[in-house]
Amino acid sequence: MGKGIIIYQSKYGATRKYAEWLKEATGFDLAETKKADADMLSGCDTVILCGGIYASGIAGISFLRKNKNALAGKKTAVFCVGASPYDEKALEEIKAHNLKEDLKDIPLFYGRGAWDEEGMKFVDRTMCRMLQKSVAKKDPSTYEPWMTALMCAVGQKCDWTDRKYLEELLRYIMEV
């Protein structure tokens, strides 16, 4: 497996939890994106970025783009965390939106995170409530999986984090 580093950006804690679980499972170093730099990548065989999904963007993806030259020859992966249940179509859209051009060959993995409207910052909570109102106007039989999850989570405090979501990424890391 060699030496590796897990770079993460977490807004509400679910992504940090996954990053810490990855550290336990791999023994890799751990750093927040705001404290990380290209020098930390030297000597590493593996680089994993963990980032939450916000408005279809993966938090911290700019770190990879900014340091793409330092990634050359390294096994690199992205683990993104969102509140929705796994949906292959949605994940393909996330990948197309975030991992394009020079990052398009980086594999993307997904873990379900958490939901706590009371713990959200005002802007995030307001955006979520606007989205909920918009989705509520639709016929529930036409909901996509993320819409169903969003409407079920209204007013709830949910934590869907689970180590099982890391299994596929860990298999990828262990591949020679």
Side-chain angles (χ1 to χ4, degrees):
M1 181 165 42
K3 184 179 181 218
I5 188 164
I6 302 154
I7 309 287
Y8 74 95
Q9 189 166 326
S10 185
K11 200 176 216 180
Y12 296 110
T15 302
R16 182 180 59 245
K17 184 190 286 189
Y18 279 114
E20 289 170 351
W21 285 344
L22 271 172
K23 177 183 166 65
E24 286 175 23
T26 62
F28 292 170
D29 292 335
L30 184 65
E32 289 184 79
T33 54
K34 64 185 173 187
K35 297 177 183 173
D37 60 38
D39 291 339
M40 295 175 139
L41 307 180
S42 67
C44 290
D45 303 306
T46 305
V47 177
I48 303 166
L49 172 77
C50 296
I53 301 171
Y54 304 101
S56 76
I58 300 172
I61 205 75
S62 60
F63 177 85
L64 294 184
R65 191 155 278 110
K66 185 173 90 177
N67 296 291
K68 66 182 177 189
N69 293 335
L71 298 173
K74 299 180 187 318
K75 184 176 264 194
T76 305
V78 174
F79 185 83
C80 60
V81 179
S84 298
Y86 177 84
D87 179 64
E88 192 168 332
K89 179 183 170 221
L91 198 58
E92 286 174 18
E93 290 172 8
I94 295 290
K95 182 168 182 162
H97 180 76
N98 292 274
L99 298 173
K100 46 192 165 198
E101 298 158 8
D102 50 335
L103 302 179
K104 71 180 187 308
D105 294 327
I106 296 175
L108 180 67
F109 301 89
Y110 180 80
R112 195 162 186 201
W115 180 269
D116 179 9
E117 287 179 49
E118 287 182 20
M120 289 180 189
K121 294 179 179 167
F122 175 77
V123 172
D124 293 337
R125 185 174 49 249
T126 301
M127 286 176 45
C128 286
R129 288 185 178 158
M130 288 172 49
L131 185 58
Q132 288 164 343
K133 285 181 183 179
S134 172
V135 170
K137 294 176 185 175
K138 299 178 183 282
D139 177 352
S141 68
T142 66
Y143 284 179
E144 292 182 41
W146 70 266
M147 293 175 179
T148 302
L150 177 71
M151 298 312 288
C152 288
V154 173
Q156 304 291 314
K157 185 174 182 175
C158 308
D159 183 351
W160 301 287
T161 57
D162 192 318
R163 290 177 190 260
K164 72 180 181 187
Y165 291 114
L166 295 173
E167 291 172 2
E168 190 178 350
L169 173 57
L170 288 169
R171 278 193 297 277
Y172 170 75
I173 293 168
M174 302 299 178
E175 288 175 359
V176 177

